[in-house]
Amino acid sequence: MTAVPASHVLIVDDDHRIRAMLARFLTDHGLKVSQAGDGQAMFALCETARIDVIVLDIMMPGEDGLSLCRRMRAQSSVPIILLTAMGGDTDRIIGLEIGADDYVVKPFNPRELLARIRAVTRRLGAASINERPVATIYAFGGWQLNSSRRTLTSPAGALTDLTSGEFNLLLAFLEHPQHVLTRDHLLDLAHGRMSESYDRSIDVQISRLRRKIEADPQDPAFIKTIRNEGYFFAGTVTRLQDAFVRRQA
């Protein structure tokens, strides 16, 4: 069996001591690690190397992590985990709204960060398996979601940008249509969190999804809210194609 390449993590933090400590820890646990001290170095590395996960500090001099996250999300769906010294809801919600996939509050145990990185890479299919189903295409209301290419095509044939969190959430709905899903269930299906769930992140991402796929986000035809229970995907879902591909080295 051909070995699967290690996931490549980019740590972006202006504090070189934190970068070095995290780099040593993650490397010791089998990950490939690159480091950047600012946004310019981050974008330069992303242009020259395949990055699987970005660990991005919010509180940096100059352009802060939220601004960098927004810019990165405009051009790439690479998963982003924010490091924040703010424990309040507002900072976390802003990060999720602009496209971050997860967050870790400082001070934190490096093992928590490792667990979240592994959860993100599992969601993207980076687990060490040799063969897995990857080419299911889900059709609903003229839309098509391709689970292999991780693309969403509109009824007009245009590609619609999704963050990895939005993609995983929509895929969870399409795999469980006509069923009421609680926030905790959606967190398990779409996020695979390793610690205490933060259920408002689901509300934020559903709001973003509705703006992208609903004709009227205020009166959604697909993703319905079931009061005091959760959410319900009301559209008819058809699986157009299934295939298996063998992971390449």
Side-chain angles (χ1 to χ4, degrees):
M1 182 182 296
T2 304
V4 177
S7 297
H8 190 176
V9 180
L10 173 58
I11 301 171
V12 185
D13 196 309
D14 64 298
D15 190 326
H16 71 278
R17 294 169 299 179
I18 292 177
R19 293 201 314 268
M21 180 272 292
L22 290 177
R24 285 195 302 270
F25 180 83
L26 296 177
T27 300
D28 288 344
H29 285 79
L31 299 176
K32 179 179 179 181
V33 180
S34 293
Q35 302 179 44
D38 55 31
Q40 182 176 356
M42 176 183 79
F43 282 102
L45 280 166
C46 288
E47 289 178 359
T48 59
R50 181 184 65 82
I51 303 297
D52 296 304
V53 182
I54 296 175
V55 176
L56 176 60
D57 185 38
I58 289 182
M59 301 297 290
M60 293 197 296
E63 187 173 9
D64 66 22
L66 291 176
S67 175
L68 292 173
C69 178
R70 185 181 292 107
R71 284 211 291 139
M72 177 59 70
R73 189 52 73 231
Q75 66 185 57
S76 171
S77 61
V78 59
I80 298 173
I81 299 175
L82 294 177
L83 301 181
T84 173
M86 305 292 187
D89 288 354
T90 300
D91 207 45
R92 303 179 190 184
I93 292 173
I94 291 173
L96 292 166
E97 284 180 334
I98 63 177
D101 296 272
D102 209 340
Y103 55 85
V104 177
V105 178
K106 294 180 177 178
F108 60 89
N109 188 320
R111 291 185 178 277
E112 178 186 0
L113 178 61
L114 176 63
R116 292 181 182 271
I117 290 171
R118 286 175 171 169
V120 166
T121 56
R122 278 199 304 273
R123 296 199 301 266
L124 294 181
S128 299
I129 53 178
N130 187 51
E131 191 174 83
R132 59 190 175 94
V134 294
T136 301
I137 299 173
Y138 299 87
F140 63 99
W143 294 83
Q144 291 190 11
L145 187 80
N146 188 308
S147 67
S148 171
R149 297 179 181 177
R150 297 182 67 83
T151 57
L152 176 65
T153 305
S154 75
L159 290 178
T160 300
D161 290 333
L162 295 176
T163 67
S164 61
E166 292 165 356
F167 175 90
N168 293 327
L169 185 59
L170 180 56
L171 181 60
F173 277 121
L174 298 181
E175 290 178 335
H176 302 83
Q178 315 298 325
H179 288 84
V180 176
L181 301 175
T182 67
R183 288 177 176 83
D184 285 344
H185 195 183
L186 286 168
L187 281 167
D188 290 339
L189 291 171
H191 288 267
R193 288 192 181 277
M194 300 297 292
S195 62
E196 180 181 357
S197 67
Y198 180 63
D199 62 4
R200 290 191 65 182
S201 67
I202 290 295
D203 299 326
V204 169
Q205 295 196 62
I206 284 177
S207 177
R208 293 203 315 244
L209 257 182
R210 282 173 170 163
R211 290 197 294 269
K212 293 181 178 182
I213 68 173
E214 301 282 5
D216 181 1
Q218 301 304 314
D219 184 22
F222 298 124
I223 304 174
K224 303 282 190 179
T225 300
I226 308 300
R227 188 175 179 84
N228 298 324
E229 293 190 49
Y231 295 96
F232 178 88
F233 193 86
T236 299
V237 179
T238 304
R239 294 191 181 198
L240 300 181
Q241 177 181 345
D242 290 281
F244 284 81
V245 300
R246 186 166 295 276
R247 180 183 286 276
Q248 302 298 314

